[in-house]
Amino acid sequence: MGIRSIFSKPLARWVVERQQMWMYRPAQTQQHWFEQLVSAGRKTAFGRDHHLHDVRSVADFRQAVPVRDYEGLKPYVERILAGESDVLWPGKPLYLAKTSGTTSGVKYIPITRDSIPNHINSARDALLNYINETGKSDFLDKKLIFLSGSPELTEKNGIHIGRLSGIVNHHVPAYLRSNQLPDYETNTIDDWETKLERIIDQTIDQPMSLISGIPPWVQMYFDRIQERTGKPIKDVFPDFSLFVYGGVNFEPYRAKLFDSIGKRIDSIETYPASEGFIAFQDSQTEPGLLLLLNSGIFYEFIAADEYFSENSRRLTIDEVELNKNYAVIINNNAGLWAYSLGDTVKFISRDPYRLLVTGRIKHFISAFGEHVIGEEVERALQAAMQQHPETEVVEFTVAPMVSPNEGLPYHEWLVEFATPPHDLIAFAHVLNDRLTALNVYYDDLITGAILRPLQLTSLSRGAFQRYMKAQGKLGGQNKVPRLANDRVIADGLLAQNEPA
């Protein structure tokens, strides 16, 4: 046992003990952060514009500060980019995290000296919770890989700009940097396929113990290694014992990923975003992700089915209900105020508060009033894969076909299989039956002959990768949305589909 694994255990115990001080005092903890944030916000241009000096309660705050997305915040961000201080948060941000927006083009999310610990310590604490619960820490003494974007940063008016994963890379603790792979030069390669080959060159003969990344890109890493070696990952990396992931629902990828590995290993799910590190899996035995209530964020929640209503209610943590979908609204010490994160979550525990990430508030299909959400399509796919256990899915997305050449409209599921089901028609029937059971509006449309049952299109291998490459979004933290209300992604995928 090495020095890292030895010293990690008392640190893990200390972190978990401190964590319990706020886990079981959720309302008080959140009230503390509300007061801290408003106090600091009064010193900013945003605070003056929204009269934060007059805010004395959460109710006052909601009257003064409306919910907004990035477009609503953009004028303030542009002032920051121009070099102005004290705009959204006192001083200037340390960083602007550059991320892709669906309607905004590139988004620049501020990260301040006060907010950077939220990103760094939360990732650390996810590992320490695992160590404290399981007693397993030997993985820290071997090699660790984080499949991420480039750590190269640009600078404008004293602010560093780059991808979140690249920013975080600069804050990896010194005691881990010596066993982190790949090296800095490899991480800065822009072309994902070139970068991946270099990563494999550097890792294939190393004692890899922890691998972290978005599941589809980790799967690509595994696929390329197997092409080179002809071996399962467990034989290439016999020390591999922990997989850390986030960004997408793991379930559609689980079977193929573990088949590639060749054995079951422990995993930790995280919920990071450029806007803040929201939650992580704190237990290997309890479901859900622990909501981080004491890391510089004051949360509000809006019931997903009320989100687009003028009379939608903003709820604090003590007002949410179990098993109900909510849009996440954050206020944080980077200067995001009543900011709609765009994600939906569902709480499955209140003691402590644990959640599941269920989708995106704008990623749904409602071309006919059905409002099918990400959680529903993922659960339908999971049910179909359980009934057809031979099936392995690489990636999928769903889009409406509003005006087919003949017949009724339908939902088209575009699925890339690693191993297709023996009976594609039966597989599609399970998808449709499960979706009608999960969504009463979809069921009504099928029953009322407004829609016909979904159509499944099996894409050729590599279609999603070719599509992402064509969009300039191959690798890193990029992912294809599960759902869309138009055919842009679907038609792009079909254009990349190679005939069998």
Side-chain angles (χ1 to χ4, degrees), residues 2 64 91 114 145 166 202 219 350 358 382 391 463 482:
D114 292 314
I145 183 171
Q202 290 188 12
Q219 184 64 62
R350 293 183 57 169
T358 55
Q382 191 174 354
T391 306
R482 288 279 180 256

Side-chain angles (χ1 to χ4, degrees), residues 97-313:
K98 187 177 178 181
T99 184
S100 298
T102 53
T103 59
S104 313
V106 175
K107 299 192 296 184
Y108 296 95
I109 306 299
I111 298 175
T112 64
R113 191 176 304 279
D114 292 314
S115 73
I116 193 69
N118 162 257
H119 296 278
I120 307 307
N121 294 347
S122 300
R124 176 204 68 184
D125 291 353
L127 294 178
L128 292 175
N129 271 260
Y130 171 79
I131 291 169
N132 186 70
E133 182 184 46
T134 66
K136 300 174 184 178
S137 59
D138 288 353
F139 68 90
L140 292 172
D141 295 323
K142 299 185 174 68
K143 296 295 184 179
L144 321 174
I145 183 171
F146 303 94
L147 293 174
S148 66
S150 172
E152 280 194 312
L153 305 176
T154 59
E155 186 176 331
K156 185 171 184 179
N157 291 317
I159 303 170
H160 295 286
I161 301 172
R163 300 288 182 182
L164 175 66
S165 57
I167 291 168
V168 170
N169 195 278
H170 288 271
H171 292 267
V172 172
Y175 64 86
L176 289 181
R177 193 168 289 282
S178 61
N179 59 345
Q180 177 193 1
L181 291 172
D183 62 25
Y184 185 89
E185 181 183 4
T186 298
N187 250 341
T188 61
I189 296 173
D190 285 329
D191 181 76
W192 170 248
E193 292 173 301
T194 303
K195 178 176 179 175
L196 187 57
E197 295 304 322
R198 286 280 296 275
I199 290 172
I200 294 170
D201 291 341
Q202 290 188 12
T203 58
I204 200 165
D205 60 351
Q206 295 296 313
M208 306 303 304
S209 58
L210 180 151
I211 296 174
S212 174
I214 292 180
W217 306 122
V218 174
Q219 184 64 62
M220 189 192 293
Y221 172 63
F222 288 169
D223 288 346
R224 296 289 176 87
I225 288 175
Q226 288 183 296
E227 287 171 12
R228 283 203 197 184
T229 65
K231 299 177 182 178
I233 299 303
K234 70 179 179 66
D235 293 342
V236 180
F237 300 136
D239 296 305
F240 179 31
S241 61
L242 185 60
F243 174 50
V244 181
Y245 66 94
V248 297
N249 183 355
F250 186 34
E251 289 309 314
Y253 307 99
R254 183 184 296 276
K256 178 165 170 50
L257 205 75
F258 281 120
D259 182 65
S260 298
I261 296 168
K263 66 177 182 180
R264 301 289 297 183
I265 63 168
D266 290 342
S267 60
I268 301 173
E269 182 178 0
T270 61
Y271 179 11
S274 298
E275 294 86 352
F277 203 121
I278 308 301
F280 60 66
Q281 180 183 346
D282 67 315
S283 173
Q284 294 292 300
T285 59
E286 297 293 332
L289 310 183
L290 180 70
L291 181 64
L292 303 180
L293 297 170
N294 192 40
S295 63
I297 301 174
F298 172 68
Y299 295 94
E300 299 176 271
F301 303 91
I302 298 175
D305 56 6
E306 295 180 11
Y307 183 82
F308 295 102
S309 167
E310 291 184 5
N311 300 316
S312 59
R313 295 174 301 144

Side-chain angles (χ1 to χ4, degrees), residues 55-81:
V55 168
R56 296 292 179 268
S57 67
V58 173
D60 291 344
F61 179 77
R62 289 172 180 163
Q63 286 290 321
V65 183
V67 172
R68 70 191 78 206
D69 57 14
Y70 183 77
E71 283 298 314
L73 201 69
K74 192 174 181 180
Y76 292 99
V77 175
E78 288 175 341
R79 290 166 64 176
I80 293 171
L81 280 165

